[in-house]
Coordinates of all heavy atoms in Angstrom, one line a residue:
I1346 N 109.7 144.2 98.7 CA 110.1 143.2 97.7 C 108.9 143.2 96.7 O 109.2 143.2 95.4 CB 110.2 141.8 98.3 CG1 111.5 141.8 99.2 CG2 110.3 140.7 97.2 CD1 111.7 140.5 99.9
K1347 N 107.7 143.3 97.1 CA 106.6 143.3 96.1 C 106.7 144.5 95.2 O 106.6 144.4 94.0 CB 105.2 143.5 96.9 CG 104.8 142.2 97.6 CD 103.5 142.5 98.3 CE 103.1 141.4 99.3 NZ 101.8 141.7 99.9
I1348 N 107.0 145.7 95.7 CA 107.1 146.9 94.9 C 108.3 146.8 94.0 O 108.3 147.2 92.8 CB 107.2 148.1 95.9 CG1 105.8 148.4 96.5 CG2 107.7 149.4 95.1 CD1 105.8 149.5 97.4
R1349 N 109.4 146.3 94.5 CA 110.7 146.3 93.8 C 110.6 145.4 92.6 O 111.3 145.6 91.5 CB 111.8 145.9 94.7 CG 113.2 146.0 94.1 CD 114.3 145.9 95.1 NE 114.1 144.9 96.1 CZ 114.5 143.6 95.9 NH1 115.2 143.3 94.8 NH2 114.3 142.7 96.9
T1350 N 109.8 144.3 92.7 CA 109.7 143.3 91.6 C 108.6 143.6 90.6 O 108.6 142.9 89.6 CB 109.5 141.9 92.2 OG1 108.3 142.0 93.1 CG2 110.7 141.5 93.0
L1351 N 107.8 144.6 90.8 CA 106.8 145.0 89.8 C 107.4 146.0 88.8 O 107.6 147.1 89.2 CB 105.5 145.5 90.5 CG 104.6 144.4 91.1 CD1 103.5 145.1 91.8 CD2 104.1 143.5 90.0
R1352 N 107.5 145.6 87.6 CA 108.1 146.6 86.6 C 107.3 147.8 86.4 O 107.8 148.9 86.2 CB 108.3 145.8 85.3 CG 109.4 144.7 85.3 CD 109.5 144.1 83.9 NE 110.6 143.1 84.0 CZ 110.9 142.3 82.9 NH1 110.3 142.6 81.7 NH2 111.9 141.4 83.0
S1353 N 106.0 147.6 86.4 CA 105.1 148.8 86.3 C 105.3 149.9 87.3 O 105.2 151.1 87.0 CB 103.7 148.4 86.2 OG 103.3 147.8 87.5
L1354 N 105.7 149.4 88.5 CA 105.9 150.4 89.6 C 107.2 151.1 89.5 O 107.3 152.3 89.6 CB 105.8 149.7 90.9 CG 104.4 149.1 91.3 CD1 104.4 148.4 92.7 CD2 103.4 150.2 91.3
T1355 N 108.3 150.3 89.2 CA 109.6 151.0 89.0 C 109.6 151.9 87.8 O 110.2 152.9 87.8 CB 110.7 149.9 88.8 OG1 110.3 149.0 87.7 CG2 110.8 149.1 90.1
G1356 N 108.8 151.5 86.8 CA 108.6 152.4 85.6 C 107.9 153.7 85.9 O 108.3 154.7 85.4
S1357 N 107.0 153.6 86.8 CA 106.3 154.8 87.3 C 107.2 155.8 87.9 O 107.2 157.0 87.8 CB 105.1 154.5 88.3 OG 104.1 153.7 87.6
L1358 N 108.1 155.3 88.8 CA 109.1 156.1 89.4 C 110.1 156.8 88.4 O 110.4 158.0 88.5 CB 109.9 155.3 90.4 CG 109.2 154.8 91.7 CD1 110.1 154.1 92.6 CD2 108.6 156.0 92.4
G1359 N 110.4 156.0 87.4 CA 111.2 156.7 86.3 C 110.5 157.7 85.6 O 111.1 158.8 85.2
A1360 N 109.2 157.5 85.4 CA 108.4 158.5 84.7 C 108.2 159.8 85.5 O 108.1 160.9 84.9 CB 107.0 157.9 84.4
V1361 N 108.3 159.7 86.8 CA 108.2 160.9 87.7 C 109.3 161.8 87.3 O 109.2 163.0 87.1 CB 108.2 160.5 89.2 CG1 108.4 161.8 90.0 CG2 107.0 159.7 89.6
L1362 N 110.6 161.3 87.3 CA 111.7 162.1 87.1 C 111.7 162.6 85.6 O 112.0 163.8 85.4 CB 113.0 161.2 87.3 CG 114.3 161.8 86.9 CD1 114.6 163.1 87.7 CD2 115.5 160.8 87.2
L1363 N 111.5 161.7 84.7 CA 111.5 162.1 83.3 C 110.5 163.2 82.9 O 110.8 164.2 82.3 CB 111.3 160.9 82.3 CG 111.3 161.1 80.8 CD1 112.7 161.6 80.5 CD2 111.0 159.8 80.1
A1364 N 109.2 163.0 83.3 CA 108.2 163.9 83.0 C 108.4 165.3 83.6 O 108.3 166.3 83.0 CB 106.8 163.4 83.4
T1365 N 108.8 165.3 84.9 CA 109.0 166.5 85.5 C 110.2 167.3 84.9 O 110.1 168.5 84.6 CB 109.4 166.3 87.0 OG1 108.3 165.6 87.6 CG2 109.6 167.6 87.8
A1366 N 111.3 166.6 84.6 CA 112.5 167.3 84.1 C 112.2 167.8 82.7 O 112.6 169.0 82.3 CB 113.7 166.4 84.1
V1367 N 111.5 167.0 81.8 CA 111.2 167.4 80.5 C 110.3 168.6 80.4 O 110.6 169.6 79.7 CB 110.6 166.2 79.7 CG1 110.1 166.7 78.3 CG2 111.7 165.2 79.4
F1368 N 109.2 168.6 81.2 CA 108.2 169.7 81.1 C 108.8 170.9 81.8 O 108.4 172.0 81.4 CB 106.9 169.2 81.7 CG 106.1 168.4 80.8 CD1 106.0 167.0 81.0 CD2 105.3 169.0 79.8 CE1 105.3 166.2 80.1 CE2 104.6 168.2 78.9 CZ 104.6 166.8 79.1
S1369 N 109.7 170.7 82.8 CA 110.3 171.9 83.4 C 111.2 172.6 82.4 O 111.3 173.8 82.3 CB 111.1 171.5 84.6 OG 110.2 171.1 85.7
A1370 N 111.9 171.8 81.6 CA 112.9 172.4 80.6 C 112.0 173.1 79.5 O 112.4 174.2 79.1 CB 113.7 171.3 80.0
L1371 N 110.9 172.5 79.1 CA 110.1 173.1 78.1 C 109.5 174.4 78.6 O 109.4 175.4 77.9 CB 109.0 172.2 77.7 CG 109.4 170.9 76.9 CD1 108.2 170.0 76.7 CD2 110.1 171.3 75.6
A1372 N 109.0 174.4 79.8 CA 108.4 175.6 80.4 C 109.5 176.7 80.5 O 109.2 177.9 80.3 CB 107.8 175.3 81.7
S1373 N 110.7 176.3 80.8 CA 111.8 177.3 81.0 C 112.2 178.0 79.8 O 112.8 179.1 79.8 CB 113.0 176.7 81.8 OG 112.6 176.2 83.0
T1374 N 111.9 177.4 78.6 CA 112.3 178.0 77.4 C 111.4 179.1 77.0 O 111.7 179.9 76.0 CB 112.3 176.9 76.2 OG1 111.0 176.4 76.1 CG2 113.3 175.8 76.5
D1375 N 110.2 179.2 77.7 CA 109.3 180.3 77.4 C 109.7 181.5 78.1 O 109.8 181.6 79.3 CB 107.9 179.9 77.9 CG 106.8 180.9 77.6 OD1 107.1 181.9 77.0 OD2 105.7 180.8 78.1
P1376 N 110.0 182.6 77.4 CA 110.5 183.8 78.0 C 109.6 184.4 79.1 O 110.0 184.9 80.1 CB 110.7 184.8 76.8 CG 110.8 183.9 75.6 CD 109.9 182.7 75.9
G1377 N 108.3 184.2 78.9 CA 107.3 184.7 79.8 C 107.2 183.9 81.1 O 106.7 184.4 82.1
S1378 N 107.7 182.7 81.1 CA 107.5 181.8 82.3 C 108.4 182.2 83.4 O 108.0 182.0 84.6 CB 107.8 180.4 81.9 OG 109.2 180.2 81.6
S1379 N 109.5 182.9 83.2 CA 110.4 183.2 84.2 C 110.3 184.7 84.7 O 111.0 185.1 85.7 CB 111.8 183.0 83.8 OG 112.2 183.8 82.7
T1380 N 109.5 185.5 84.1 CA 109.4 186.9 84.4 C 108.8 187.1 85.8 O 109.3 188.0 86.5 CB 108.6 187.7 83.4 OG1 107.3 187.0 83.3 CG2 109.3 187.6 82.0
G1381 N 107.8 186.3 86.2 CA 107.2 186.5 87.5 C 107.8 185.6 88.6 O 108.0 186.0 89.7
D1382 N 108.1 184.4 88.2 CA 108.6 183.4 89.2 C 109.5 182.3 88.6 O 109.1 181.3 88.2 CB 107.4 182.7 89.8 CG 107.7 182.0 91.1 OD1 108.9 181.7 91.3 OD2 106.8 181.7 91.9
P1383 N 110.8 182.7 88.5 CA 111.7 181.7 87.9 C 111.8 180.4 88.7 O 112.1 179.4 88.1 CB 113.1 182.5 88.0 CG 112.9 183.5 89.0 CD 111.5 183.9 89.0
L1384 N 111.6 180.4 90.0 CA 111.6 179.1 90.7 C 110.5 178.2 90.3 O 110.8 177.0 90.0 CB 111.5 179.4 92.3 CG 111.6 178.1 93.1 CD1 113.0 177.5 93.1 CD2 111.2 178.5 94.6
F1385 N 109.3 178.7 90.1 CA 108.3 177.8 89.7 C 108.4 177.4 88.2 O 108.0 176.3 87.8 CB 106.9 178.5 89.9 CG 105.7 177.5 89.6 CD1 105.5 176.4 90.4 CD2 104.9 177.8 88.5 CE1 104.5 175.6 90.1 CE2 103.8 176.9 88.2 CZ 103.6 175.8 89.0
A1386 N 109.0 178.3 87.4 CA 109.3 177.9 86.0 C 110.2 176.7 86.0 O 110.1 175.7 85.2 CB 110.0 179.0 85.3
A1387 N 111.2 176.6 86.9 CA 112.1 175.5 87.0 C 111.4 174.2 87.5 O 111.8 173.1 87.1 CB 113.3 175.8 87.9
F1388 N 110.4 174.4 88.3 CA 109.7 173.2 88.8 C 108.3 173.0 88.1 O 107.5 172.2 88.7 CB 109.5 173.3 90.3 CG 110.7 173.1 91.1 CD1 111.5 174.2 91.6 CD2 111.2 171.8 91.4 CE1 112.6 174.0 92.3 CE2 112.3 171.6 92.1 CZ 113.0 172.7 92.6
F1389 N 108.1 173.6 87.0 CA 106.8 173.6 86.4 C 106.3 172.2 86.0 O 105.2 171.8 86.1 CB 106.8 174.4 85.1 CG 105.4 174.4 84.4 CD1 104.4 175.2 84.8 CD2 105.3 173.6 83.3 CE1 103.1 175.1 84.1 CE2 104.1 173.6 82.6 CZ 103.0 174.3 83.0
G1390 N 107.3 171.3 85.7 CA 107.0 170.0 85.3 C 106.4 169.1 86.4 O 105.9 168.0 86.0
I1391 N 106.5 169.6 87.6 CA 105.9 168.7 88.7 C 104.4 168.5 88.5 O 103.9 167.5 88.9 CB 106.1 169.5 90.0 CG1 105.9 168.5 91.2 CG2 105.2 170.6 90.2 CD1 106.9 167.4 91.3
S1392 N 103.7 169.4 87.8 CA 102.3 169.2 87.5 C 102.0 168.0 86.7 O 101.0 167.4 86.7 CB 101.7 170.5 86.7 OG 101.9 171.6 87.6
F1393 N 103.0 167.5 85.9 CA 102.9 166.4 85.1 C 103.6 165.1 85.7 O 103.1 164.1 85.6 CB 103.5 166.6 83.7 CG 102.9 167.7 82.9 CD1 103.4 169.0 83.1 CD2 101.7 167.6 82.2 CE1 102.8 170.1 82.4 CE2 101.1 168.6 81.5 CZ 101.6 169.9 81.6
G1394 N 104.7 165.4 86.4 CA 105.4 164.3 87.1 C 104.6 163.7 88.2 O 104.7 162.5 88.5
Q1395 N 103.7 164.5 88.8 CA 102.9 164.0 89.9 C 101.9 162.9 89.4 O 101.5 162.1 90.3 CB 102.1 165.1 90.6 CG 101.1 165.8 89.7 CD 100.4 166.9 90.5 OE1 100.4 167.0 91.7 NE2 99.7 167.8 89.7
V1396 N 101.5 162.9 88.2 CA 100.6 161.9 87.7 C 101.3 160.5 87.8 O 100.6 159.6 88.2 CB 100.2 162.2 86.2 CG1 99.4 161.1 85.6 CG2 99.5 163.5 86.1

Side-chain angles (χ1 to χ4, degrees):
I1346 291 173
K1347 291 180 188 177
I1348 287 177
R1349 185 163 50 88
T1350 54
L1351 281 176
R1352 292 184 180 180
S1353 61
L1354 294 180
T1355 55
S1357 295
L1358 290 180
V1361 172
L1362 174 58
L1363 181 62
T1365 303
V1367 169
F1368 282 101
S1369 291
L1371 292 174
S1373 298
T1374 60
D1375 179 6
S1378 66
S1379 60
T1380 55
D1382 194 341
L1384 181 66
F1385 187 66
F1388 285 102
F1389 179 80
I1391 196 70
S1392 298
F1393 301 92
Q1395 67 179 342
V1396 174

